[in-house]
Amino acid sequence: DAVDFHADQLHAARYVFPIVSVTGTEALLLLAVRTSGVSVIENAAMEPEVTALAEFLVTCGARISGIGTPTLTSTGVQQLSGGSVTCIPDRIETGAFAALVAACGGSIEIRDCAPQHLAVPLKLLTTMGAEVTTDDHAGIIRIAVSTPLRAVAFRTHEFPGFPTDLQPPFTVAMTQARGLALVHETIYEGRLFFVDKLNKMGANIVLCDPHRCLVEGPKRLHGTTLESPDIRAGIALLIAAACAEGQSTIENVYQIDRGFAHLEQRLQGIG
């Protein structure tokens, strides 16, 4: 039987997220802006995408305070107006290109991005030995890697920490860095299970448990046939293929295309 989720009367409330959730925060915020009274969302996600949504809703007439903090307060309004919005740059796409140059070496200039949204990953690259310069106003990141980078341990965390969606690409980068790195995935169960595919290419990665792995580098990777299990592991495998010797074939690339438009043309454009 179909379940009726219709509510005759909504009322304001205080809700505390037991675990930080981006889409959960966005969903409750969308509900709260049209619900009469004052609603409070505690332990709200602070990701840039949540902030961008809240700021757009304000331009449409919503009354929201605490934007960019763990506590969002919304006073419901009877009606929202239309509006126009420019989507913020995709920080995960930007970070994937940063991981690409960390793994393959060389230099890159990434434009039309938001460096301030990637402070922790860029700090990690600096600690590894990369030369990183940013221009927040112009939206430009420049990264240069002239020698093998140093392996550095990192762990994922909610914003402003290291993004879980960038863990797979940076795990690949660690296979080409000198030393031993502990990668700790604290957000998603099983997100490290793709590392067996990297080992198939010649990496030396030990999966300690579903949330941690040890990566020893640098290891020379070799081309092979791979299957993309999801969007984030898929781009990681593509980065691994880019720094590997020989030819690789990656299947299920529709996963990667979900988050990286015209990727093959852009990669060809940088050689």
Side-chain angles (χ1 to χ4, degrees):
D1 295 335
V3 178
D4 185 6
F5 288 106
H6 175 74
D8 292 325
Q9 183 64 46
L10 295 174
H11 59 84
R14 174 178 177 266
Y15 185 80
V16 180
F17 275 102
I19 299 175
V20 176
S21 169
V22 173
T23 51
T25 299
E26 292 170 336
L28 283 191
L29 186 60
L30 288 168
L31 184 64
V33 295
R34 287 294 313 280
T35 300
S36 180
V38 178
S39 296
V40 179
I41 304 173
E42 298 278 7
N43 199 26
M46 297 186 292
E47 271 69 6
E49 295 78 19
V50 175
T51 297
L53 171 63
E55 290 175 343
F56 172 60
L57 289 172
V58 168
T59 68
C60 295
R63 298 171 62 189
I64 305 169
S65 62
I67 296 174
T69 76
T71 302
L72 293 172
T73 302
S74 171
T75 302
V77 297
Q78 291 297 313
Q79 185 174 353
L80 295 175
S81 66
S84 61
V85 63
T86 300
C87 290
I88 62 174
D90 188 335
R91 61 196 171 99
I92 305 305
E93 187 177 34
T94 302
F97 277 100
L100 173 70
V101 72
C104 298
S107 61
I108 194 172
E109 180 177 282
I110 307 172
R111 300 178 180 176
D112 300 322
C113 61
Q116 63 272 27
H117 294 167
L118 289 163
V120 174
L122 295 180
K123 175 62 176 178
L124 181 70
L125 285 175
T126 301
T127 304
M128 293 174 69
E131 296 179 18
V132 180
T133 59
T134 62
D135 186 332
D136 290 355
H137 179 73
I140 295 174
I141 299 173
R142 298 181 181 90
I143 304 171
V145 176
S146 56
T147 59
L149 299 178
R150 297 184 297 273
V152 177
F154 69 95
R155 61 182 295 172
T156 62
H157 198 274
E158 295 85 0
F159 189 84
F162 194 96
T164 178
D165 287 343
L166 286 180
Q167 175 266 113
F170 274 81
T171 297
V172 173
M174 292 304 168
T175 69
Q176 303 305 300
R178 289 182 286 105
L180 193 65
L182 174 65
V183 178
H184 191 176
E185 172 57 62
T186 70
I187 308 296
Y188 284 120
E189 185 88 21
R191 178 154 263 187
L192 286 169
F193 289 164
F194 80 101
V195 299
D196 64 325
K197 301 180 187 297
L198 298 179
N199 285 338
K200 180 182 176 182
M201 300 178 72
N204 184 10
I205 304 176
V206 177
L207 190 63
C208 306
D209 55 49
H211 292 281
R212 296 177 301 161
C213 71
L214 284 169
V215 186
E216 183 185 11
K219 293 296 180 182
R220 183 174 297 176
L221 303 183
H222 53 79
T224 187
T225 299
L226 303 161
E227 183 173 329
S228 170
D230 58 65
I231 180 174
R232 305 308 173 193
I235 192 64
L237 295 178
L238 183 57
I239 292 172
C243 67
E245 294 182 352
Q247 178 175 293
S248 294
T249 299
I250 301 177
E251 300 172 345
N252 274 357
V253 294
Y254 76 91
Q255 299 272 12
I256 306 173
D257 287 338
R258 288 173 48 219
F260 300 87
H262 311 296
L263 183 58
E264 58 272 32
Q265 293 95 320
R266 288 188 288 166
L267 289 176
Q268 290 166 1
I270 58 176

